[in-house]
Amino acid sequence: MTELDRIRNFSIVAHIDHGKSTLADRLIQMTGTVDARDMQEQLLDSMDIERERGITIKANTVRIDYVARNGEAYVLNLIDTPGHVDFAYEVSRSMRAVEGSLLVVDATQGVEAQTLANVYQAIDADHEIVPVLNKIDLPAAEPDRVREQIEDVIGIDAADAVEISAKTGAGIPDLLEAIVHRFPAPVGDRGSPLKAMLVDSRYDPYLGVVVMIRVMDGVVRKNDRIRMMQTGATYGIDRLAVLKPKMADIPELGPGEIGILTASIKQVRDTKVGDTITHEKRQAAEPLEGFAPSVPVVFCGLFPVDSAEFPDLRAAMEKLALNDASFSHEMESSASLGFGFRCGFLGLLHLEVIRDRLEREYGIDLVTTAPSVIYHVHMKDGERLELHNPADMPDLTRVSHIEEPRIKATVLVPDEYLGDILKLCQERRGVQLDLSYAGSRAMVVYDLPLNEVVFDFYDRLKSVTRGYASFDYQMIGYRQDSLVKMQVLVNEEPVDALSVMVHRDRAEARGRAMVEKLKDLIPRHMFKIPIQAAIGGKVIARETLSALRKDVTAKCYGGDVTRKRKLLEKQKAGKKKMRQFGRVEIPQEAFISALKIDQ
């Protein structure tokens, strides 16, 4: 049992690549939490894909024992959070389990878009914030300029920001002292009924569901019977532990402590993140304020390249959904791609990560259809439908209007690239809300339609600014616009996987670009193939793929011209028949390439 005033709970927030995971490594190493022989880079990033991409995807926790300079012993609970916009949901949950945040800013780059987004979440959670300037060992570091920037852009006093180098370990002892003396101790009552917040859960093949909890009031012990207040399910605790980063069993968890429990829970779906855990017999009167459930914003179809692999894909999806509660999937079938799944994601990086994990961990080759967002279709009879897949669009004569999701996008960009960014946002039907300066960098705020951002906006943003821009967004709601469903017909057959929702004014340009691209991607057949883009019954763009021809008149030497004509007529009739019954094979890469059209 640890006294409340000896506990400090904090998280590390920062922009991508500003050194969160490296700082966590140094804190673990310098306090001797892990033996030197077990120490490795990015210790808390356990997934292969996290190590490879150098990003944190899941928030991870570790308990550190630290003896301060005044001889007092403290327990520090650290949560390392993701920096990427798609995993902001992980960040918001972790914030609610701790009282303070270390705001890590790269002393060479300064404040970035994600720094802002994550620090505002910490401020919303009422955190004490300690600014930390990292990478001061680099020759390009400008701590004084970055201090000013933190004060100007975020509005936090950075006069006593701690200067460190997470790589070399410089300044870490001072940081540990700052954690102990500047972060508040947690509050809680040992004698009250148990109230613990369910912060995260993951599936372990040996232990079942492993649940991470933060105890607010009361004490939880091994073999207690607990109750989940949202679901009403009851369990007996098999094991209580803290993470150092490996599991270390303990007999009890008291107020202010963060730990994990296992209770033979079979599915992650049975553990709702944000739920309140209490004792079965002596229940808490009120549950803790939970979290809003994560809402998928991007949808796409995932189909196996080989349709025989569909059962393997289904099994793999179910295993992944055990570990990732923010990923949703349901079965769908397509005429051109066979059976597959319609999946919901928190963003494009989340989509890429899930797709990579499916291909890597389960060895399944996948085709991904165009990412789309949820549209609200208002019918003339007053009904409102949610449209996930453009192929399911109802008959236009019954539709009153369509609403699309909008986002508030914040872009931080060096001055010289500002014109390109404004042009890019204007092209994507953006409405400028704000433009301000922080030193030599401009901060642009735009109201943009999500479907314009979801495809290749991020790639374009990085290419027009040579990688210097940083970008963050949040959903702000739905708005009506003039949207239409554009479908692609190949040999007069609609191809579901290529249906997209577009703005009416841009439909023709988009359709023309798409059919021109498909003409290059589809191999020639023995008959000519029309490729058309259409809105309803109206064709707005067309290209014709010419047929491969055999010279049937090669063996006619001289003689009457009617012999040649007869052979050509016969060939023509054969090609006409072929076109009626022939199937056009569209290669897999054509689907993805056709959708990645640079405007």
Side-chain angles (χ1 to χ4, degrees):
M1 179 192 128
T2 314
E3 291 297 326
L4 269 176
D5 57 355
R6 292 278 177 275
I7 301 174
R8 296 290 183 270
N9 298 324
F10 65 98
S11 65
I12 303 180
V13 293
H15 186 74
I16 311 146
D17 282 343
H18 279 201
K20 289 185 297 296
S21 298
T22 313
L23 173 58
D25 288 351
R26 275 311 78 74
L27 291 172
I28 291 168
Q29 189 183 9
M30 291 228 164
T31 51
T33 305
V34 173
D35 288 342
R37 64 182 177 199
D38 295 332
M39 197 62 209
Q40 55 174 348
E41 294 284 308
Q42 287 174 295
L43 190 70
L44 296 183
D45 290 347
S46 50
M47 283 194 264
D48 289 346
I49 193 160
E50 290 184 310
R51 298 179 159 281
E52 223 164 80
R53 286 178 173 239
I55 57 174
T56 302
I57 293 168
K58 291 291 285 177
N60 285 303
T61 176
V62 64
R63 176 174 173 141
I64 298 170
D65 293 314
Y66 171 63
V67 178
R69 286 171 186 162
N70 58 10
E72 305 272 6
Y74 288 90
V75 168
L76 313 179
N77 288 308
L78 150 69
I79 298 183
D80 177 25
T81 59
H84 203 281
V85 58
D86 287 13
F87 307 113
Y89 182 60
E90 289 277 335
V91 181
S92 69
R93 293 196 317 220
S94 311
M95 295 285 178
R96 302 281 291 282
V98 296
E99 286 80 34
S101 286
L102 290 179
L103 169 66
V104 179
V105 182
D106 185 331
T108 60
Q109 292 182 334
V111 176
E112 299 279 355
Q114 217 68 52
T115 317
L116 281 174
N118 290 343
V119 81
Y120 288 148
Q121 285 196 340
I123 292 168
D124 287 346
D126 211 14
H127 278 197
E128 180 65 39
I129 294 167
V130 172
V132 178
L133 304 183
N134 190 14
K135 307 193 187 181
I136 54 156
D137 58 317
L138 295 180
E142 302 174 81
D144 296 336
R145 181 183 67 82
V146 175
R147 268 201 182 86
E148 269 177 44
Q149 210 178 15
I150 292 173
E151 288 176 1
D152 292 352
V153 179
I154 303 173
I156 293 174
D157 178 21
D160 49 1
V162 187
E163 294 187 14
I164 64 157
S165 163
K167 192 172 163 193
T168 63
I172 300 290
D174 297 339
L175 180 62
L176 283 162
E177 287 295 309
I179 290 167
V180 167
H181 298 300
R182 288 166 64 179
F183 283 144
V187 289
D189 178 9
R190 236 184 125 70
S192 298
L194 173 67
K195 235 187 211 186
M197 181 191 281
L198 198 160
V199 183
D200 199 6
S201 58
R202 64 183 172 82
Y203 185 75
D204 183 290
Y206 303 107
L207 302 170
V209 178
V210 178
V211 178
M212 181 171 138
I213 60 165
R214 154 73 202 265
V215 182
M216 299 296 181
D217 290 318
V219 182
V220 60
R221 296 182 179 87
K222 201 176 162 182
N223 301 326
D224 282 357
R225 295 285 303 170
I226 54 166
R227 178 188 177 89
M228 307 277 184
M229 290 183 88
Q230 267 185 30
T231 57
T234 59
Y235 301 100
I237 295 179
D238 302 333
R239 183 177 180 185
L240 275 179
V242 289
L243 292 171
K244 289 187 161 189
K246 292 193 168 61
M247 280 185 176
D249 289 1
I250 51 163
E252 62 169 44
L253 279 174
E257 294 193 278
I258 296 174
I260 57 173
L261 63 86
T262 64
S264 309
I265 306 170
K266 302 285 184 295
Q267 290 209 352
V268 170
R269 289 197 186 88
D270 303 335
T271 57
K272 288 202 161 43
V273 166
D275 200 347
T276 306
I277 296 175
T278 186
H279 279 129
E280 188 179 8
K281 296 279 192 288
R282 188 179 172 217
Q283 293 186 18
E286 287 284 307
L288 296 161
E289 190 187 324
F291 311 113
S294 67
V295 181
V297 291
V298 180
F299 285 82
C300 84
L302 292 178
F303 294 86
V305 170
D306 175 3
S307 51
E309 285 188 336
F310 177 71
D312 301 346
L313 178 62
R314 178 164 29 195
M317 289 274 189
E318 277 161 12
K319 283 182 189 157
L320 265 187
L322 283 177
N323 259 348
D324 192 339
S326 49
F327 159 62
S328 60
H329 64 285
E330 56 186 40
M331 218 178 109
E332 73 165 355
S333 65
S334 144
S336 48
L337 296 168
F339 286 104
F341 287 93
R342 187 98 196 138
C343 304
F345 305 94
L346 300 178
L348 279 192
L349 181 70
H350 189 205
L351 183 158
E352 275 180 38
V353 164
I354 293 280
R355 190 185 63 207
D356 284 3
R357 286 184 67 185
L358 283 170
E359 291 187 341
R360 274 246 231 21
E361 294 171 26
Y362 303 98
I364 301 168
D365 288 335
L366 293 172
V367 181
T368 319
T369 64
S372 70
V373 296
I374 306 177
Y375 297 93
H376 288 169
V377 180
H378 293 262
M379 311 301 279
K380 286 182 177 163
D381 58 8
E383 193 188 353
R384 192 188 88 176
L385 305 176
E386 283 199 350
L387 182 71
H388 291 220
N389 187 348
D392 304 333
M393 180 80 179
D395 183 16
L396 280 174
T397 53
R398 293 171 39 228
V399 175
S400 149
H401 63 276
I402 303 171
E403 293 179 337
E404 62 178 348
R406 307 283 296 196
I407 59 168
K408 180 176 160 190
T410 308
V411 182
L412 275 164
V413 62
D415 211 2
E416 63 263 36
Y417 303 113
L418 181 62
D420 295 329
I421 291 290
L422 298 180
K423 184 173 168 223
L424 177 66
C425 293
Q426 245 24 82
E427 276 174 6
R428 300 292 168 108
R429 316 202 318 268
V431 179
Q432 190 175 321
L433 302 177
D434 189 19
L435 171 59
S436 56
Y437 276 86
S440 65
R441 298 203 356 243
M443 186 167 105
V444 196
V445 182
Y446 259 89
D447 171 347
L448 284 159
L450 182 63
N451 73 335
E452 295 281 353
V453 172
V454 82
F455 212 80
D456 55 353
F457 181 81
Y458 197 69
D459 298 347
R460 296 265 296 132
L461 179 86
K462 288 292 183 195
S463 63
V464 298
T465 61
R466 299 191 188 163
Y468 283 114
S470 61
F471 163 68
D472 179 66
Y473 68 83
Q474 63 199 70
M475 296 285 294
I476 52 173
Y478 278 76
R479 194 170 324 141
Q480 182 182 340
D481 213 332
S482 171
L483 298 164
V484 288
K485 169 188 157 189
M486 181 179 81
Q487 56 180 359
V488 173
L489 306 162
V490 175
N491 200 18
E492 291 169 11
E493 293 279 323
V495 182
D496 299 344
L498 294 176
S499 295
V500 286
M501 298 292 291
V502 288
H503 194 268
R504 195 179 286 277
D505 300 346
R506 318 272 293 286
E508 199 173 316
R510 184 86 189 261
R512 186 162 291 127
M514 217 156 174
V515 295
E516 281 171 7
K517 201 148 192 183
L518 276 172
K519 186 183 175 186
D520 299 336
L521 292 164
I522 297 174
R524 286 167 68 187
H525 288 54
M526 293 302 294
F527 48 94
K528 83 171 181 228
I529 303 170
I531 304 167
Q532 299 159 309
I535 294 172
K538 184 184 172 196
V539 173
I540 53 170
R542 169 178 171 141
E543 287 286 336
T544 307
L545 192 63
S546 57
L548 290 166
R549 289 200 56 180
K550 180 183 171 191
D551 187 1
V552 286
T553 60
K555 59 183 184 290
C556 296
Y557 298 111
D560 190 3
V561 74
T562 52
R563 278 180 69 203
K564 283 189 179 179
R565 199 165 293 142
K566 209 170 176 180
L567 286 166
L568 288 169
E569 288 297 328
K570 197 171 166 190
Q571 183 187 32
K572 195 171 165 188
K575 288 214 182 281
K576 192 174 175 187
K577 194 172 179 185
M578 235 182 200
R579 202 187 135 201
Q580 271 176 334
F581 302 110
R583 279 204 56 203
V584 179
E585 289 297 324
I586 304 176
Q588 301 297 359
E589 52 274 16
F591 287 105
I592 299 299
S593 311
L595 296 157
K596 275 206 165 167
I597 296 164
D598 254 342
Q599 304 296 339

